[in-house]
Amino acid sequence: VENAKLASDNEAVQDKVAEVHESYKPQLEEKEKQIKLMAFEHEELKKVLKLEMQKANETCRFLEEQVGKFPHPFELEIQEMKDKYAQMQAGMMKMNMENVKL
């Protein structure tokens, strides 16, 4: 008798569990659809970001090449200073030679 009562209670509980599971099935299915959609959107976004990164790298390389072609901003001034220094050295050598002759 006791086992029969427990068995019927167990069946009642199992029925209630099944009802709860059935009531949540549509919600779970909807959430699974949302998760799949979000995963798909995530993958698409990763593809777009990868393309954007490639474009940015290409643009960066292009800019680096262009900047590399710029002339040195002080190249003329440096050359003029080198020429003046060479003239000064030549003048110093000439003066030294004249002093040696004296």
Side-chain angles (χ1 to χ4, degrees), residues 4-20:
K5 183 178 183 304
L6 287 175
S8 69
D9 287 347
N10 188 25
E11 284 182 31
V13 168
Q14 293 299 328
D15 290 342
K16 287 183 182 180
V17 168
E19 286 177 21
V20 169

Side-chain angles (χ1 to χ4, degrees), residues 21-34:
H21 282 226
E22 288 299 318
S23 70
Y24 280 107
K25 270 188 181 178
Q27 293 176 8
L28 290 173
E29 289 173 359
E30 183 63 32
K31 291 295 178 186
E32 286 178 7
K33 286 179 185 177
Q34 288 177 353

Side-chain angles (χ1 to χ4, degrees), residues 70-78:
F70 287 165
H72 190 278
F74 301 106
E75 191 172 357
L76 291 176
E77 288 87 350
I78 291 172

Side-chain angles (χ1 to χ4, degrees), residues 83-93:
D83 291 344
K84 285 182 184 178
Y85 181 75
Q87 287 176 353
M88 287 175 50
Q89 289 295 327
M92 292 294 285
M93 289 296 285

Side-chain angles (χ1 to χ4, degrees), residues 56-71:
N57 283 336
E58 289 173 9
T59 303
C60 188
R61 268 188 249 112
F62 175 75
L63 290 174
E64 287 174 350
E65 289 173 9
Q66 294 301 314
V67 168
K69 294 177 183 177
F70 287 165

